Amino acid sequence: MAVLTHETKPTPAHRPAPGRHAEARLTLSRAVFQLATGLGLAAAFVVTYVLFVHTSAGQLAENGVVRSAQSGRWSTMDWAGPLRDQDMVLVLGAAAIVLVGLALLRRKPGLLVPALSVLVLPLVTAQLLKLYLLERPELPDGGYGPGHNSFPSGHVSAAMAILMALTFVLPQRFRPAIIGTGGIAVAWVASSTIALGWHRLSDTAGACLLGASFACLLAAWLTTRRRDLRRTPAVLVALATVAPTGIVLIGFAVLNTATAGAAQFVAALVLGALSAVGIVLVTLWPLRGSAFERRTGVETRVVDDLLETRLVKRPERI
């Protein structure tokens, strides 16, 4: 087997002491980073459903927000009005066309399978969960409000799915800026559905968590196939794992500190936007430096804390 190596060796003056950094910290692979983040997002999804839907405190706070939104007292919510005019089927169709165009423009049609999977699977899962699997129990101290289950939000699921699908077809250098900016659009959709009285805060947060979890779990599988051997400190992996649940717990605590209907309504609008942006940023963290197309014969490994790329030429089989 012939091996062609293209690498840049560090100078002796800047070479780390052998074994120094390996002993100082524990590191995990990029695939484990993505897998842990995906599982953390999925766990936060469960926590959101249990805290907001299956506790009296959660239902009481969110029912107050829904009553305020549907009362018609908020004439300053014109910024949420454009969402009423959007046909989500057309939006999703346009998003699919953009994904196909980007993949073909980059001459990487193999990216279409993961991108379209992340676009479709969270939407199907959200509808199955909302309509058939999850229920909203009537609790004696939950306050008065709509009794049907609306968790998770379909509109926010669509917005998050589009954003996560773009992650798989965008070039790495453009990914942080575009996905970070797209998080603002997801935040607008989340706050708008609350302002219009369509959804509760938990519905929007759950939708964001669901779509982000699918993206990270699929990315972890693709990364193992691509043999990306970059390492991440274990403490950062642990932080990314618990961060989504932390966002949910903070939102639950803040919403329950507001007792008046007006205060709860404003708090829900702000929390809906902030939680969406926070979840997008947590998801972008393990995805920002990953290339998801499979490259045969190329391996990335770590040598003395520096990245080394090796081009391996294997003999043809006869």
Side-chain angles (χ1 to χ4, degrees), residues 185-257:
V186 176
W188 172 75
V189 175
S191 291
S192 295
T193 58
I194 297 173
L196 295 172
W198 295 354
H199 283 286
R200 306 171 175 90
L201 172 62
S202 60
D203 303 339
T204 64
C208 290
L209 291 165
L210 183 64
S213 177
F214 267 98
C216 285
L217 294 176
L218 180 57
W221 179 67
L222 294 175
T223 301
T224 57
R225 296 174 69 246
R226 194 178 182 274
R227 300 186 67 188
D228 185 340
L229 302 183
R230 288 173 294 176
R231 314 289 292 182
T232 303
V235 64
L236 296 183
V237 175
L239 179 61
T241 304
V242 302
T245 299
I247 293 173
V248 173
L249 294 177
I250 292 173
F252 182 80
V254 172
L255 188 63
N256 277 277
T257 58

Side-chain angles (χ1 to χ4, degrees), residues 92-308:
L92 290 170
I97 294 174
V98 170
L99 294 174
V100 173
L102 284 173
L104 296 180
L105 184 63
R106 297 184 62 198
R107 298 180 180 179
K108 296 179 179 179
L111 295 175
L112 283 175
V113 174
L116 294 177
S117 297
V118 171
L119 179 66
V120 174
L121 290 179
L123 295 175
V124 175
T125 304
Q127 293 304 311
L128 291 176
L129 289 174
K130 179 167 58 177
L131 299 178
Y132 301 107
L133 298 178
L134 301 181
E135 61 180 12
R136 186 176 183 86
E138 293 185 7
L139 301 179
D141 299 325
Y144 173 77
H148 67 278
N149 178 56
S150 56
F151 179 93
S153 165
H155 282 79
V156 182
S157 292
M160 193 67 173
I162 293 171
L163 187 62
M164 292 296 100
L166 283 172
T167 304
F168 289 85
V169 296
L170 286 172
Q172 295 180 51
R173 61 183 180 274
F174 300 136
R175 194 177 299 160
I178 294 178
I179 299 303
T181 304
I184 299 176
V186 176
W188 172 75
V189 175
S191 291
S192 295
T193 58
I194 297 173
L196 295 172
W198 295 354
H199 283 286
R200 306 171 175 90
L201 172 62
S202 60
D203 303 339
T204 64
C208 290
L209 291 165
L210 183 64
S213 177
F214 267 98
C216 285
L217 294 176
L218 180 57
W221 179 67
L222 294 175
T223 301
T224 57
R225 296 174 69 246
R226 194 178 182 274
R227 300 186 67 188
D228 185 340
L229 302 183
R230 288 173 294 176
R231 314 289 292 182
T232 303
V235 64
L236 296 183
V237 175
L239 179 61
T241 304
V242 302
T245 299
I247 293 173
V248 173
L249 294 177
I250 292 173
F252 182 80
V254 172
L255 188 63
N256 277 277
T257 58
T259 55
Q264 287 178 335
F265 181 67
V266 174
L269 293 179
V270 175
L271 290 171
L274 292 180
S275 62
V277 172
I279 293 167
V280 168
L281 293 179
V282 170
T283 309
L284 180 61
W285 190 5
L287 301 184
R288 61 187 177 88
S290 298
F292 301 110
E293 68 274 12
R294 189 173 185 179
R295 297 171 61 190
T296 58
V298 178
E299 180 180 282
T300 302
R301 65 190 183 100
V302 177
V303 178
D304 291 331
D305 285 352
L306 298 176
L307 288 179
E308 175 188 277

Side-chain angles (χ1 to χ4, degrees), residues 33-114:
F33 187 15
Q34 294 164 344
L35 175 63
T37 305
L39 294 177
L41 290 161
F45 177 86
V46 176
V47 171
T48 302
Y49 177 66
V50 172
L51 276 183
F52 284 91
V53 180
H54 280 267
T55 66
S56 297
Q59 285 198 11
L60 183 63
E62 291 201 303
N63 284 335
V65 173
V66 173
R67 289 197 303 271
S68 295
Q70 295 179 349
S71 65
R73 294 181 299 163
W74 304 93
S75 58
T76 59
M77 295 297 140
D78 294 340
W79 54 269
L83 188 62
R84 288 195 181 99
D85 303 325
Q86 301 303 317
D87 187 331
M88 296 309 296
V89 175
L90 293 179
V91 172
L92 290 170
I97 294 174
V98 170
L99 294 174
V100 173
L102 284 173
L104 296 180
L105 184 63
R106 297 184 62 198
R107 298 180 180 179
K108 296 179 179 179
L111 295 175
L112 283 175
V113 174

